[in-house]
């Protein structure tokens, strides 16, 4: 494809877990930390699809080349320019945040990819992507995407209080972590509020935006909510621990799944990795950022995290450190056990 940067051979959908992200403006470091968390903990091979402004492309290439080969061999990547296949590119670019609307076009651009996990740049994986990837197998025959609720409690949720457009369910859904079966999305006729018959995904996007542009606040996320309001049978809903945000703890703990299982995917929206409003989120971000790749995970990641968390116990989110640490501890134990077993197995062969 024109402008597409290729690395290694074309990924096979079967062998690869496909991860897409859209990076514009000052999101280079955040995106790299997200990719780092994906590589640190995942088991199967990863294929990264990075959509970035032209100025960021050489930066991504330079930084990814600096990673040690023991990690770079676990993934391959493509870098794509920002493109919008229908409607006015400038309008799409201005929707909510620069380039965020790009995610709406992934089914159209990545024609040879069957399934994909899209995440925002401010996401951190605290367990292997393999675990969320397995959810694709849980889709029923009509489901083609999965997202988590925007809120757990309707009376304090944003959509239930303020939305001036249709939205999914009782609290809407958050699009920061979105698992997609692109093959199904491309072949489905979607019910809509514009014409009595169905429209394909690509046909629907621009008219939908035109119809609702004066009523939406959160850009592409609102458009996705509108789509799944009219097509609820197409959506699989993740529990909140797969898209855990400050909202889940800053007003008191309201994500039961995270209390039971720990946070699986952390989503530091509202810029919380870069200010002091939510020190627990910032602590996780900084520890993964500063982790030297080849070091021991417990020594250089888990223990620094524990000590940083001690400084956050005065905050609402900091009162529940086990919620943030449970999954990451479990994941590290598994990584450690696998390495020990592999090492012992290698030694026993001689």
């Amino acid at each position: 494809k024109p402008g597409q940067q290729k690395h290694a051979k074309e990924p096979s959908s079967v062998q690869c877990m496909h991860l897409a992200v859209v990076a514009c403006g000052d999101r280079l470091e955040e995106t790299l930390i997200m990719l780092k968390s994906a590589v640190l903990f995942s088991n199967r091979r990863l294929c990264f699809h990075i959509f970035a402004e032209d100025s960021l492309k050489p930066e991504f290439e330079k930084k990814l080349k600096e990673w040690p080969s023991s990690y770079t061999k676990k993934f391959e990547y493509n870098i794509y320019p920002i493109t919008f296949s229908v409607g006015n590119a400038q309008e799409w670019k201005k929707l909510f945040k620069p380039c965020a609307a790009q995610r709406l076009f992934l089914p159209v651009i990545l024609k040879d990819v069957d399934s994909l996990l899209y995440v925002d740049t401010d996401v951190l994986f605290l367990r292997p992507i393999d675990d969320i990837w397995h959810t694709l197998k849980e889709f029923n025959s009509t489901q083609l995407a999965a997202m988590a609720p925007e809120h757990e409690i309707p009376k304090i949720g944003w959509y239930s209080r303020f939305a001036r457009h249709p939205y999914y369910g009782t609290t809407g859904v958050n699009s920061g972590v979105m698992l997609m079966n692109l093959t199904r999305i491309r072949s489905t006729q979607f019910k809509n509020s514009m014409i009595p018959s169905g429209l394909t995904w690509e046909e629907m996007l621009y008219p939908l935006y035109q119809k609702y542009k004066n009523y939406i606040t959160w850009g592409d996320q609102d458009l996705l909510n509108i789509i799944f309001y009219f097509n609820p049978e197409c959506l699989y809903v993740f529990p909140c621990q797969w898209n855990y945000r400050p909202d889940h703890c800053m007003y008191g703990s309201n994500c039961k799944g995270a209390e039971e299982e720990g946070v699986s995917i952390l989503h530091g929206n509202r810029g919380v990795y870069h200010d002091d409003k939510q020190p627990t989120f910032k602590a996780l971000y900084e520890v993964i950022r500063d982790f030297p790749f080849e070091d021991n995970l417990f020594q250089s990641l888990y223990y620094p995290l524990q000590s940083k968390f001690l400084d956050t116990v005065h905050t609402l989110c900091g009162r529940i450190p086990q919620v943030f640490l449970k999954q990451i501890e479990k994941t590290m134990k598994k990584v450690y056990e696998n390495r020990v077993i592999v090492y012992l197995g290698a030694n026993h062969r001689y």
Side-chain angles (χ1 to χ4, degrees), residues 247-270:
D247 283 12
H248 288 120
C249 53
M250 61 196 271
Y251 310 114
S253 182
N254 61 35
C255 174
K256 292 281 172 279
E259 286 171 32
E260 287 158 21
E261 286 183 32
V263 174
S264 296
I265 294 180
L266 193 75
H267 183 183
N269 63 348
R270 307 174 191 267

Short mmCIF file of all heavy atoms in Angstrom, two decimals, residues 247-270:
data_model
loop_
_atom_site.label_atom_id
_atom_site.label_comp_id
_atom_site.label_asym_id
_atom_site.label_seq_id
_atom_site.Cartn_x
_atom_site.Cartn_y
_atom_site.Cartn_z
N ASP A 247 -11.81 6.74 36.64
CA ASP A 247 -13.22 6.75 37.07
C ASP A 247 -13.58 5.55 37.92
O ASP A 247 -14.55 5.59 38.67
CB ASP A 247 -14.15 6.76 35.84
CG ASP A 247 -14.23 8.13 35.20
OD1 ASP A 247 -13.40 8.99 35.57
OD2 ASP A 247 -15.10 8.35 34.35
N HIS A 248 -12.83 4.46 37.76
CA HIS A 248 -13.17 3.23 38.50
C HIS A 248 -12.72 3.26 39.95
O HIS A 248 -13.11 2.40 40.74
CB HIS A 248 -12.58 2.01 37.79
CG HIS A 248 -13.29 1.68 36.51
ND1 HIS A 248 -12.65 1.66 35.28
CD2 HIS A 248 -14.58 1.39 36.26
CE1 HIS A 248 -13.53 1.36 34.34
NE2 HIS A 248 -14.71 1.20 34.92
N CYS A 249 -11.88 4.23 40.30
CA CYS A 249 -11.45 4.28 41.71
C CYS A 249 -11.46 5.67 42.32
O CYS A 249 -11.42 5.80 43.54
CB CYS A 249 -10.06 3.63 41.87
SG CYS A 249 -8.78 4.28 40.76
N MET A 250 -11.54 6.72 41.51
CA MET A 250 -11.40 8.07 42.09
C MET A 250 -12.64 8.53 42.87
O MET A 250 -12.58 9.46 43.65
CB MET A 250 -11.01 9.09 41.02
CG MET A 250 -11.99 9.27 39.90
SD MET A 250 -11.25 10.11 38.48
CE MET A 250 -11.56 11.80 38.90
N TYR A 251 -13.79 7.85 42.66
CA TYR A 251 -14.98 8.18 43.46
C TYR A 251 -15.30 7.02 44.41
O TYR A 251 -16.44 6.84 44.81
CB TYR A 251 -16.19 8.41 42.54
CG TYR A 251 -15.94 9.35 41.40
CD1 TYR A 251 -15.97 8.90 40.08
CD2 TYR A 251 -15.67 10.70 41.64
CE1 TYR A 251 -15.73 9.77 39.03
CE2 TYR A 251 -15.43 11.58 40.59
CZ TYR A 251 -15.46 11.10 39.29
OH TYR A 251 -15.23 11.97 38.26
N GLY A 252 -14.31 6.22 44.74
CA GLY A 252 -14.56 4.98 45.46
C GLY A 252 -14.51 3.84 44.44
O GLY A 252 -14.76 4.06 43.25
N SER A 253 -14.19 2.65 44.89
CA SER A 253 -13.99 1.53 43.96
C SER A 253 -15.32 1.05 43.37
O SER A 253 -16.24 0.71 44.11
CB SER A 253 -13.31 0.38 44.71
OG SER A 253 -13.05 -0.68 43.84
N ASN A 254 -15.44 1.08 42.05
CA ASN A 254 -16.70 0.63 41.43
C ASN A 254 -16.48 -0.35 40.28
O ASN A 254 -17.33 -0.45 39.39
CB ASN A 254 -17.56 1.83 40.99
CG ASN A 254 -16.86 2.69 39.95
OD1 ASN A 254 -16.13 2.18 39.11
ND2 ASN A 254 -17.09 3.99 40.01
N CYS A 255 -15.35 -1.05 40.29
CA CYS A 255 -15.14 -2.10 39.28
C CYS A 255 -14.92 -3.41 40.03
O CYS A 255 -13.81 -3.72 40.45
CB CYS A 255 -13.94 -1.77 38.39
SG CYS A 255 -13.52 -3.10 37.23
N LYS A 256 -16.00 -4.16 40.21
CA LYS A 256 -15.95 -5.40 41.01
C LYS A 256 -14.97 -6.40 40.41
O LYS A 256 -14.24 -7.09 41.12
CB LYS A 256 -17.35 -6.04 41.08
CG LYS A 256 -18.34 -5.23 41.90
CD LYS A 256 -18.15 -5.42 43.41
CE LYS A 256 -18.99 -4.48 44.22
NZ LYS A 256 -18.48 -3.14 44.39
N GLY A 257 -14.94 -6.48 39.08
CA GLY A 257 -14.05 -7.44 38.40
C GLY A 257 -12.59 -7.20 38.76
O GLY A 257 -11.82 -8.15 38.96
N ALA A 258 -12.20 -5.92 38.86
CA ALA A 258 -10.81 -5.60 39.20
C ALA A 258 -10.52 -5.94 40.66
O ALA A 258 -9.43 -6.37 41.01
CB ALA A 258 -10.52 -4.13 38.93
N GLU A 259 -11.53 -5.76 41.52
CA GLU A 259 -11.34 -6.11 42.94
C GLU A 259 -11.10 -7.61 43.08
O GLU A 259 -10.32 -8.06 43.91
CB GLU A 259 -12.56 -5.70 43.76
CG GLU A 259 -12.64 -4.19 43.99
CD GLU A 259 -13.96 -3.79 44.62
OE1 GLU A 259 -14.52 -4.58 45.40
OE2 GLU A 259 -14.43 -2.68 44.31
N GLU A 260 -11.80 -8.38 42.25
CA GLU A 260 -11.67 -9.85 42.34
C GLU A 260 -10.42 -10.36 41.63
O GLU A 260 -9.68 -11.18 42.15
CB GLU A 260 -12.92 -10.51 41.76
CG GLU A 260 -14.14 -10.36 42.66
CD GLU A 260 -15.46 -10.52 41.90
OE1 GLU A 260 -15.44 -11.12 40.81
OE2 GLU A 260 -16.49 -10.04 42.42
N GLU A 261 -10.20 -9.87 40.41
CA GLU A 261 -9.14 -10.45 39.56
C GLU A 261 -7.91 -9.55 39.40
O GLU A 261 -6.89 -10.00 38.90
CB GLU A 261 -9.69 -10.69 38.14
CG GLU A 261 -10.62 -11.85 38.01
CD GLU A 261 -11.04 -12.03 36.54
OE1 GLU A 261 -10.24 -11.72 35.64
OE2 GLU A 261 -12.17 -12.46 36.31
N GLY A 262 -8.03 -8.30 39.77
CA GLY A 262 -6.97 -7.34 39.48
C GLY A 262 -7.18 -6.69 38.12
O GLY A 262 -7.96 -7.17 37.30
N VAL A 263 -6.50 -5.58 37.89
CA VAL A 263 -6.61 -4.85 36.61
C VAL A 263 -5.85 -5.61 35.53
O VAL A 263 -4.69 -5.96 35.72
CB VAL A 263 -6.04 -3.42 36.75
CG1 VAL A 263 -6.01 -2.71 35.41
CG2 VAL A 263 -6.84 -2.61 37.76
N SER A 264 -6.51 -5.84 34.39
CA SER A 264 -5.87 -6.53 33.28
C SER A 264 -5.25 -5.53 32.29
O SER A 264 -4.15 -5.71 31.81
CB SER A 264 -6.89 -7.40 32.54
OG SER A 264 -7.36 -8.41 33.40
N ILE A 265 -6.02 -4.48 31.96
CA ILE A 265 -5.53 -3.41 31.08
C ILE A 265 -5.83 -2.08 31.76
O ILE A 265 -6.96 -1.79 32.13
CB ILE A 265 -6.20 -3.47 29.68
CG1 ILE A 265 -5.79 -4.75 28.95
CG2 ILE A 265 -5.81 -2.24 28.85
CD1 ILE A 265 -6.40 -4.90 27.55
N LEU A 266 -4.78 -1.29 31.94
CA LEU A 266 -4.90 0.02 32.59
C LEU A 266 -5.04 1.08 31.50
O LEU A 266 -4.27 1.10 30.54
CB LEU A 266 -3.65 0.29 33.42
CG LEU A 266 -3.72 1.44 34.40
CD1 LEU A 266 -4.57 1.05 35.62
CD2 LEU A 266 -2.32 1.85 34.87
N HIS A 267 -6.00 1.97 31.65
CA HIS A 267 -6.23 3.02 30.66
C HIS A 267 -6.12 4.38 31.38
O HIS A 267 -7.03 4.81 32.07
CB HIS A 267 -7.63 2.83 30.04
CG HIS A 267 -7.94 3.81 28.96
ND1 HIS A 267 -9.17 3.83 28.31
CD2 HIS A 267 -7.21 4.80 28.39
CE1 HIS A 267 -9.17 4.81 27.41
NE2 HIS A 267 -8.00 5.41 27.44
N GLY A 268 -4.96 5.02 31.23
CA GLY A 268 -4.70 6.28 31.94
C GLY A 268 -5.21 7.47 31.18
O GLY A 268 -4.43 8.33 30.76
N ASN A 269 -6.54 7.54 30.99
CA ASN A 269 -7.07 8.69 30.25
C ASN A 269 -7.03 9.94 31.13
O ASN A 269 -6.57 9.89 32.26
CB ASN A 269 -8.48 8.40 29.70
CG ASN A 269 -9.50 8.14 30.80
OD1 ASN A 269 -9.16 7.96 31.96
ND2 ASN A 269 -10.76 8.12 30.43
N ARG A 270 -7.44 11.07 30.59
CA ARG A 270 -7.37 12.38 31.27
C ARG A 270 -5.92 12.80 31.58
O ARG A 270 -5.68 13.58 32.50
CB ARG A 270 -8.15 12.38 32.60
CG ARG A 270 -9.59 11.92 32.51
CD ARG A 270 -10.15 11.84 33.93
NE ARG A 270 -11.43 11.18 33.98
CZ ARG A 270 -12.61 11.79 33.93
NH1 ARG A 270 -12.67 13.08 33.78
NH2 ARG A 270 -13.73 11.10 34.02
#
